[in-house]
Amino acid sequence: MSRTLILVKPDGVKRQLIGEVLGRFERKGLSIAALKLVQLETSVVEEHYAHLNDKPFFGELVSFMTGGAVVAAILEGPSAVEVGRQVIGATNPLEAATGSIRGDLAIEAGENIVHGSDSDENAEIEVARFFPELG
């Protein structure tokens, strides 16, 4: 059993896609272990996306992620990270496979509905960042 962090980004929340997004993971076989609706602090977003801080779009990304509510979820199941990435699809929705969340629901890379951990190591870090109360 492994776990991954999933964030339904502000565009997904605003478009009322929370149930659609989470349902796709559940239908694939992952279980929701924790779930909350949060307004992210700038410091959390900057830490989460620190690997992108030298990119020209970093400021816009931080503004986007702090500009509305986000749903944070811990999903569990066999190969949760890999399964989650498959369900999510490619970062650029125009390159994402039909049937994936991004392929079906998003149209631009900057607002692509959902974030998912990209490795088991990052999943542990991200779960601790967004669910410190589960320590």
Side-chain angles (χ1 to χ4, degrees):
M1 183 75 69
S2 66
R3 55 191 198 166
T4 188
L5 178 87
I6 298 297
L7 300 176
V8 181
K9 296 178 179 181
D11 57 327
V13 173
K14 183 178 181 179
R15 291 178 53 200
Q16 301 179 349
L17 295 173
I18 299 165
E20 171 71 21
V21 169
L22 295 176
R24 287 178 181 229
F25 294 110
E26 289 181 308
R27 286 191 295 278
K28 188 69 173 180
L30 298 178
S31 299
I32 298 172
L35 182 70
K36 64 183 175 180
L37 180 71
V38 294
Q39 181 69 45
L40 297 179
E41 298 291 329
T42 299
S43 61
V44 172
V45 175
E46 289 175 343
E47 179 183 350
H48 184 66
Y49 289 110
H51 62 287
L52 300 173
N53 70 359
D54 62 341
K55 302 291 184 189
F57 59 81
F58 184 72
E60 291 175 27
L61 175 60
V62 172
S63 293
F64 167 64
M65 291 298 293
T66 58
V70 170
V71 170
I74 301 172
L75 302 182
E76 294 180 333
S79 303
V81 169
E82 293 85 0
V83 170
R85 300 297 293 178
Q86 180 186 51
V87 172
I88 290 169
T91 300
N92 182 342
L94 300 177
E95 298 170 1
T98 300
S100 68
I101 292 169
R102 291 177 177 157
D104 291 350
L105 303 174
I107 55 172
E108 61 180 282
E111 297 186 11
N112 59 10
I113 310 290
V114 65
H115 163 84
S117 301
D118 63 3
S119 68
D120 290 330
E121 297 77 23
N122 283 340
E124 286 184 38
I125 293 165
E126 293 176 355
V127 164
R129 179 179 298 128
F130 288 92
F131 289 89
E133 68 275 15
L134 299 180

